[in-house]
Amino acid sequence: MPIAWDDIGGLVDAHERFLSGALVEADVRGSVLDSWKRCRFAGFEPDRMVFPRSFGLGLDDRFLSAAEPVLADLSASLADMGVTVVLCDEHGRMVQRRGGGRKLLQCLDKVRFAPGCDASEGASGTNGVGTALAGRRPIYVVGREHFADFLLPFACAGAPVRNPLSGRIEGIVDLTCLREHSDPAMLRLARDAVHDIETRLLEQATERERVLLAAYRRARHGAPRWSWPERTPSGQETGYERAELGRIDLALLREKAEALIASSHRTLDEVILSGGRVATLRRRPVTGAAGETGVVVEARILGGPSPIAVGPGASAEPYRASSAATGTVPPANPPAAPKPDGTPPAALLTAVTAPPPASAADEPPTRVRNGTDDHDDGGGEGWPLLVGETGVGRLAVQARRRLELLREAGLRIGSTLDVTRTAEELAAVTVPRFADFTAVDLPGAVLCGEEPEPFRVGTALRRVALRAVDEDSPLYGVGEEMRFAPSTPQACSLDSRQPLLEPVLAEAGGWFAQDPPRGDRILAAGIHSLITVPLQARGATLGVVSFYRSRKPVPFEDDDLSLAQELAARAAICIDNARRYTREHNTALALQRSLLPRGRPEQSAVEVAYRYLPAQAGVGGDWFDVIPLSGARVALVVGDVVGHGLHAAATMGRLRTAVHNFCSLDLLADDLLTHLDDLVGRLDRGEGWAVEPTHPDSGIIGATCLLAVYDPVSRRCTFTHAGHPQPAVVAPDGTVDFVDLPPTPPLGLGGVPFETVELELAEGSQLVLYTNGLIEDRSRDVDVGLDTLRTVLACVGRGPEDTCEAVLDALLPARPGDDVAMLVARTRALGAEQVAQWDLPSDPTVVSRSRAAVTAQLAEWELDDLAFTTELVASELVTNAIRYATGPVRLRLLRDRALVCEVSDGSSTSPRLRRARSVDEGGRGLFLVAQLTERWGTRYTTDGKVIWAEQPLS
């Protein structure tokens, strides 16, 4: 069963945050979010919306006759799928509802989604009908993507039906089902149904077209000598089979006929068909009784049976199949084959010129060879292939195709915030529909996100994108750096900031000076015209785009120059947006990397490896840290600040610094998170925060954190977290366990105590700490990610570096949507030969014995040079513990990277360093300890405290 879209990405939560005014662009599809914004601006309340009712609705009979067969077939094909087919008018009001299971219909009736309801977005919020109408394009909406609460149980896919000639929306086709039956393929079915309806609309002949055809019959034959084809019982036409014309032949005939209609001087053409047959095409003027003027292209096939036979059953199918795509069809409804690119053929678009002489209609059939008329002595009747109206012409065809190209450019250019990808999209959109070669050249500063310098002759540009109809292009390749000569069109365009047209390259010499040998190859490849346009946005010149034509026989014209300017202007804005994003991304990334750890700190407790990978969408707030603690211990920290950008990176830096400061105080793990939670809460309240309250990045921070403190002496590790994913522990034998930590809220919420879990780890165990970006993804459930992580970690003898590589290869997508921070630590242990400890009674006489024990142990460790200092430190600390503290006293020496002397007792009172006056008898002990050691401090335990002092080893 397909997964409901609102179950992925937290749309329910996103909807609530949207209603509260939070930013949710990263969690909601753009088309749906736009609809939500329109609903919010309209003042809608999700829990108070219903479908309004209207009465007396109807659709034009012409539209209904085209739609009903298509919808009936669609409803029949979905009879067992629990999907209802809905037809609405151009205002979004339901006219028909077909099919659907009993359960679905009961649910639809309950919310009044029945004929007469108003499903427009302005009345009912986000839904398949209303949003498709408001956005003027197909839309798929499921579950919580609906703005209204009462539509949550449903999924729907709607698509607008346009009049193929006027472009006006005349209705909406919608497929609706229960959410548990939702499938994005519904959108494709709706689109296919709309395409079929629009095709049938094209096939409906207008009265004007009938008049033109009747006038042609009267002028050509005096009276109708042929009739429209009869249908066989199966509904198939009989003329096609008799004509033996395939789709390729028909398409070729239509293309040549369109060119003949658009021509201002040609009246004849010849087409070579399959099987060695030859079709002769003739252009004839026709005038109706009321003065309607038009042009008819006749066809006669030589070397094969005629497609038109006089008498019943004869077929004019070629005429209807081609003219149906233009709206000039007789009153029959055979299927029409639209063009592959979706653009309308030029059937009713003829040249704005005078029609050929009337005597042309009386000339005998001719054949055209090499541009000359060669009379054919064969007989036979011509048949109408294409009918068009005069006065529309080639320019109208080009204008509509240009509009289609601009629309497509608006949809395809700028799909990402990547400079190179945007340039490639510009090239891909324009080849081959506008040009045969498109090249985009940008300076290096733009690629790096920097502000481009004003162009000067000789400035280096790099070819970022090149699209060509030929694989072997004579132009500079992608990645090549070039400096355009002053006389080249590219340099002139950049210098003048104006586009430049070279309609005949062979007659223009300026461009040839750039590279004469390459210029010869360009001309040899058939490239004959060029347009160069500077890419300008927000007052800056970002580069230049060059359009070349070779295969297209018509060179670039002034209208093409205007189109090229418009395409370049749209692309320039997208490139500049990508450039600015690149600059901000690099800035945020530099800030974040400066705030992350640099290198590995010196410590012996664990062997560590780490990875940090920023998200493609922007720098986030993930971080990690390895912090050495007193007593040879180490703290492993991984955290995640919600959001992306400079705000998240700066917040991450603050939290990381705070964790370092709290660790320097030797706080317990749960106490440390409590202090960090209090800090985040104060930042959320704006205490000491530098960002203005109106800044879009200000507000609730939202952060998670995981802290693990490992002691290599006891081999015990203490874990605690705040809303963070659970760490994994990999035993030396490859067994993988996820530490079962009690659930806790993220940092900043307060009010909940942080609990700890303590485990004893075997030496060589691996601790794996990570952020949620490693296991969570829009297309993958968290449990699936954890299972995959467990499988990858279950390996014996793999080091931390290899573990990082294996995990990232298995779990990280090619373009991660969130930051990923990962820390792998393999535990070590201090052996018995590195630790010496003594339990001491609370007796002042024990101080001398402790000094002797320390001296003997240092001699055993061959650290005699530290004996005097260590003896003095131990004596002072043990004396203070016996004098001021309670409970058992323990003295411990650790030989690690430094020599650590520790004295623990059962008191929670911490000693204070003070400077004794000359007349004081005491108060100099800790002062001497601080002077003689590198550092010292106090850390609290569950049953007392430990005072420690550390001396470096030579």
Side-chain angles (χ1 to χ4, degrees), residues 619-951:
V619 174
D622 292 12
W623 92 92
F624 62 91
D625 223 329
V626 179
I627 306 173
L629 302 175
S630 62
R633 299 171 305 134
V634 66
L636 307 174
V637 188
V638 171
D640 184 2
V641 176
V642 176
H644 295 87
L646 290 174
H647 175 68
T651 302
M652 176 271 292
R654 286 187 164 218
L655 297 184
R656 179 172 176 258
T657 301
V659 171
H660 267 271
N661 293 335
F662 294 146
C663 284
S664 68
L665 299 176
D666 266 332
L667 298 176
L668 294 174
D670 51 348
D671 289 341
L672 190 151
L673 278 192
T674 300
H675 282 77
L676 195 64
D677 178 69
D678 180 64
L679 172 65
V680 173
R682 286 187 284 111
L683 292 179
D684 283 342
R685 293 191 296 270
E687 300 177 16
W689 190 243
V691 179
E692 294 294 331
T694 57
H695 192 279
D697 284 338
S698 61
I700 301 300
I701 291 175
T704 64
C705 184
L706 170 65
L707 174 63
V709 178
Y710 174 68
D711 186 347
V713 178
S714 64
R715 293 186 288 105
R716 300 192 70 82
C717 187
T718 302
F719 299 90
T720 185
H721 78 126
H724 202 83
Q726 297 176 341
V729 176
V730 184
D733 61 358
T735 304
V736 181
D737 291 310
F738 289 97
V739 181
D740 188 14
L741 295 175
T744 54
L747 296 171
L749 298 182
V752 179
F754 296 100
E755 301 182 30
T756 61
V757 173
E758 189 172 83
L759 301 177
E760 183 174 342
L761 305 177
E763 184 177 2
S765 300
Q766 289 194 25
L767 303 176
V768 182
L769 287 67
Y770 50 89
T771 56
N772 62 349
L774 182 68
I775 58 173
E776 291 185 17
D777 189 78
R778 288 183 177 272
S779 59
R780 180 180 60 203
D781 189 68
V782 176
D783 293 336
V784 176
L786 289 174
D787 291 340
T788 305
L789 179 61
R790 182 191 296 273
T791 302
V792 176
L793 293 177
C795 181
V796 179
R798 188 164 54 193
E801 289 288 345
D802 294 335
T803 298
C804 287
E805 291 297 328
V807 169
L808 294 184
D809 290 343
L811 286 127
L812 201 65
R815 298 178 64 86
D818 194 6
D819 286 21
V820 174
M822 181 180 179
L823 182 63
V824 178
R826 181 161 57 186
T827 62
R828 297 168 177 163
L830 291 184
E833 71 280 0
Q834 295 177 274
V835 181
Q837 64 181 18
W838 302 270
D839 293 328
L840 306 176
S842 297
D843 184 357
T845 62
V846 81
V847 176
S848 60
R849 296 200 303 269
S850 66
R851 288 198 299 265
V854 168
T855 303
Q857 184 63 53
L858 293 181
E860 183 180 342
W861 286 344
E862 299 180 353
L863 298 175
D864 300 279
D865 54 334
L866 299 177
F868 176 77
T869 303
T870 308
E871 180 183 350
L872 180 60
V873 170
S875 175
E876 181 60 36
L877 296 181
V878 170
T879 299
N880 286 344
I882 293 175
R883 178 177 298 178
Y884 301 110
T886 60
V889 178
R890 173 175 294 176
L891 171 63
R892 185 170 74 165
L893 293 181
L894 302 177
R895 189 192 66 181
D896 189 27
R897 294 177 179 269
L899 179 63
V900 182
C901 178
E902 297 180 345
V903 175
S904 61
D905 57 59
S907 173
S908 60
T909 303
S910 175
R912 180 173 60 89
L913 177 66
R914 66 186 182 90
R915 297 180 182 274
R917 295 173 296 178
S918 58
V919 297
D920 292 340
E921 295 183 1
R924 295 177 178 85
L926 284 181
F927 180 78
L928 289 175
V929 172
Q931 294 296 315
L932 295 175
T933 61
E934 186 175 54
R935 62 189 187 122
W936 74 280
T938 303
R939 71 173 182 268
Y940 292 96
T941 63
T942 56
D943 53 1
K945 70 176 183 296
V946 176
I947 303 175
W948 56 270
E950 193 174 285
Q951 302 175 73

Side-chain angles (χ1 to χ4, degrees), residues 262-601:
S263 174
S264 61
H265 58 278
R266 297 170 56 201
T267 59
L268 298 171
D269 202 352
E270 182 182 85
V271 183
I272 305 300
L273 304 177
S274 61
R277 295 175 296 177
V278 178
T280 301
L281 305 182
R282 171 171 295 189
R283 179 176 183 268
R284 294 182 180 276
V286 59
T287 303
E292 303 89 347
T293 59
V295 173
V296 174
V297 175
E298 295 177 338
R300 186 164 64 91
I301 297 180
L302 305 179
S306 175
I308 296 297
V310 177
S315 174
E317 181 66 15
Y319 159 69
R320 285 200 298 281
S322 58
S323 56
T326 66
T328 56
V329 278
N333 293 321
K339 280 196 169 186
D341 61 358
T343 58
L348 70 93
L349 305 175
T350 59
V352 189
T353 56
S359 60
D362 300 326
E363 294 177 0
T366 60
R367 297 179 63 185
V368 180
R369 292 190 180 92
N370 301 323
T372 61
D373 292 350
D374 182 18
H375 289 276
D376 178 61
D377 56 358
E381 291 290 336
W383 48 277
L385 175 64
L386 213 58
V387 175
E389 295 185 47
T390 59
V392 183
R394 180 177 61 89
L395 296 179
V397 177
Q398 293 177 346
R400 180 153 187 174
R401 290 176 177 173
R402 285 169 181 150
L403 288 175
E404 289 291 329
L405 180 59
L406 287 176
R407 183 191 66 83
E408 184 174 351
L411 295 175
R412 293 177 56 184
I413 298 177
S415 63
T416 65
L417 288 173
D418 182 84
V419 174
T420 301
R421 179 69 179 273
T422 305
E424 292 172 347
E425 290 170 345
L426 170 61
V429 166
T430 54
V431 175
R433 295 178 61 178
F434 178 68
D436 297 314
F437 299 84
T438 297
V440 182
D441 306 315
L442 305 176
V446 173
L447 295 174
C448 297
E450 304 298 330
E451 289 285 346
E453 296 290 336
F455 176 79
R456 294 181 177 85
V457 176
T459 299
L461 299 178
R462 186 174 299 277
R463 179 136 298 172
V464 178
L466 174 66
R467 180 62 67 96
V469 292
D470 298 321
E471 295 183 0
D472 187 15
S473 170
L475 305 177
Y476 289 106
V478 174
E480 292 191 56
E481 187 175 272
M482 65 207 76
R483 301 177 186 270
F484 287 109
S487 61
T488 58
Q490 289 85 356
C492 295
S493 292
L494 290 170
D495 187 48
S496 64
R497 300 167 61 91
Q498 296 294 327
L500 187 63
L501 168 64
E502 292 287 359
V504 184
L505 274 182
E507 299 177 0
W511 68 276
F512 202 79
Q514 173 70 24
D515 188 346
R518 188 179 297 272
D520 289 332
R521 294 197 299 271
I522 289 175
L523 293 178
I527 298 177
H528 54 76
S529 60
L530 163 69
I531 289 179
T532 61
V533 186
L535 295 168
Q536 301 176 81
R538 301 180 178 93
T541 301
L542 307 174
V544 64
V545 56
S546 304
F547 303 102
Y548 299 86
R549 276 187 179 174
S550 61
R551 292 186 178 181
K552 292 179 175 57
V554 180
F556 285 118
E557 303 173 338
D558 290 338
D559 289 341
D560 296 316
L561 185 64
S562 300
L563 176 59
Q565 283 183 274
E566 181 65 25
L567 291 170
R570 297 189 180 196
I573 292 295
C574 296
I575 290 176
D576 191 53
N577 289 338
R579 178 194 64 82
R580 294 158 70 93
Y581 169 79
T582 301
R583 180 183 60 186
E584 294 183 4
H585 179 78
N586 292 341
T587 301
L589 186 60
L591 171 64
Q592 185 184 45
R593 292 196 181 280
S594 69
L595 297 173
L596 287 172
R598 296 183 179 181
R600 297 174 175 86

Side-chain angles (χ1 to χ4, degrees), residues 131-156:
T131 306
L133 183 60
R136 304 184 67 81
R137 58 180 178 179
I139 186 70
Y140 178 64
V141 183
V142 57
R144 183 65 275 180
E145 288 186 329
H146 292 94
F147 188 79
D149 293 344
F150 76 102
L151 292 179
L152 291 183
F154 305 103
C156 50

Side-chain angles (χ1 to χ4, degrees), residues 50-69:
V50 295
F51 283 122
R53 303 287 294 180
S54 301
F55 301 94
L57 302 180
L59 288 171
D60 181 72
D61 291 340
R62 174 186 54 85
F63 182 86
L64 282 177
S65 64
E68 284 184 347

